[in-house]
Amino acid sequence: MGVFDEVKERVTARAVMERAGIVFNRSNMCRCPFHQDKTASMKVKPTDKKYFCFGCGEKGDAIDFVGRYYNLSPKDAAMQIADEFGIAYDSSVRSPPKPVRREKSPMQILAEAKTKTYRVLSDYFHLLKKWERNFKPKSMDEIDARYEEAVQNLPKVECQLDILLWGTEEEKEMLVRDLGKGVEDIERRVNEYLRNQGTVNHNRQRSCEAVH
Ligand SMILES: [Zn+2]
């Protein structure tokens, strides 16, 4: 058996907690080390494999406790417990299997790009709509750069959103590929504007030429 199974089978949560210096009262309650516990909110009977805190909801088995308490990975926690409790284990058994980080498929990447493009463009669209409303020029001499940007880009952005909503998969793909990194520029621009609302730098208008 690997270290995880050995430890899980043979060591209770209570045992590792006592080892960590946690004191239990007669009702098997102790102060939870994971939150500011004024009363004793954690109940762990001597035979309990698991602990649970009624105060903060923290719970788990011996390995979870040691991992959390000493800030160790599950594997290191299990090995530490095994060492302290003199548990022999077969180190050639690899368990639990590490979660496999799968490479994203091209389909997944594309789907995510579509979602992101739609989100960013629709944020931008709403911002432009607002600009169009709020910065309508009172005279031809004073045209606000934001109004100009809105008038210039709204039809384009609206059309792009239409494609993303109603277009064929092929059209959507083409749009996402065309926009490419431009989407990040727009996202940055929108976020920047929302952050310093009112103190926008009008010279930034050019960055929107990334929208084709
Ligand atoms: Zn707690």
Side-chain angles (χ1 to χ4, degrees):
M1 263 202 290
V3 66
F4 284 94
D5 295 327
E6 290 283 2
V7 168
K8 274 178 206 276
E9 194 173 291
R10 294 166 59 177
V11 183
T12 60
R14 172 79 174 239
V16 294
M17 291 172 77
E18 283 178 337
R19 183 126 193 154
I22 289 168
V23 182
F24 289 85
N25 68 17
R26 281 185 198 183
S27 337
N28 296 311
M29 303 290 289
C30 70
R31 286 195 177 174
C32 170
F34 303 125
H35 80 275
Q36 289 273 359
D37 197 7
K38 295 226 169 60
T39 57
S41 307
M42 220 183 230
K43 179 160 190 166
V44 191
K45 295 197 296 286
T47 51
D48 280 349
K49 291 231 159 141
K50 302 207 166 171
Y51 64 94
F52 175 72
C53 172
F54 294 98
C56 69
E58 188 63 36
K59 61 182 180 210
D61 59 18
I63 296 171
D64 297 320
F65 182 89
V66 168
R68 177 94 204 272
Y69 194 77
Y70 296 104
N71 201 15
L72 297 173
S73 72
K75 173 116 201 200
D76 287 343
M79 283 178 1
Q80 177 175 310
I81 298 170
D83 285 348
E84 286 185 345
F85 288 80
I87 291 169
Y89 57 89
D90 179 357
S91 56
S92 67
V93 179
R94 294 192 55 205
S95 71
K98 284 206 184 91
V100 184
R101 182 172 288 179
R102 284 180 209 284
E103 291 282 317
K104 284 182 183 166
S105 71
M107 288 290 282
Q108 249 175 317
I109 293 170
L110 189 65
E112 282 171 19
K114 271 187 228 165
T115 312
K116 177 172 179 171
T117 304
Y118 184 77
R119 179 175 54 76
V120 170
L121 284 181
S122 84
D123 284 352
Y124 185 50
F125 178 77
H126 289 296
L127 190 62
L128 291 177
K129 274 288 194 199
K130 205 166 105 185
W131 287 355
E132 190 190 32
R133 239 181 2 252
N134 296 354
F135 300 108
K136 199 165 242 157
K138 298 196 173 66
S139 80
M140 286 310 283
D141 310 325
E142 286 177 57
I143 297 177
D144 192 287
R146 287 162 289 189
Y147 179 80
E148 228 175 298
E149 182 177 332
V151 171
Q152 215 167 49
N153 288 341
L154 265 173
K156 191 167 53 193
V157 176
E158 201 167 3
C159 165
Q160 288 165 336
L161 285 171
D162 268 357
I163 292 175
L164 287 172
L165 273 177
W166 313 111
T168 64
E169 286 311 303
E170 224 171 15
E171 288 170 327
K172 290 181 195 174
E173 269 182 50
M174 216 148 74
L175 175 67
V176 169
R177 284 190 217 284
D178 275 357
L179 280 171
K181 291 260 176 272
V183 171
E184 264 138 55
D185 292 338
I186 300 173
E187 187 180 34
R188 214 173 303 125
R189 168 124 174 82
V190 172
N191 289 340
E192 218 166 86
Y193 182 78
L194 294 177
R195 249 202 320 275
N196 344 299
Q197 232 169 7
T199 58
V200 73
N201 179 353
H202 295 196
N203 300 326
R204 293 294 319 267
Q205 196 207 340
R206 293 184 64 80
S207 67
C208 286
E209 283 172 12
V211 188
H212 291 299

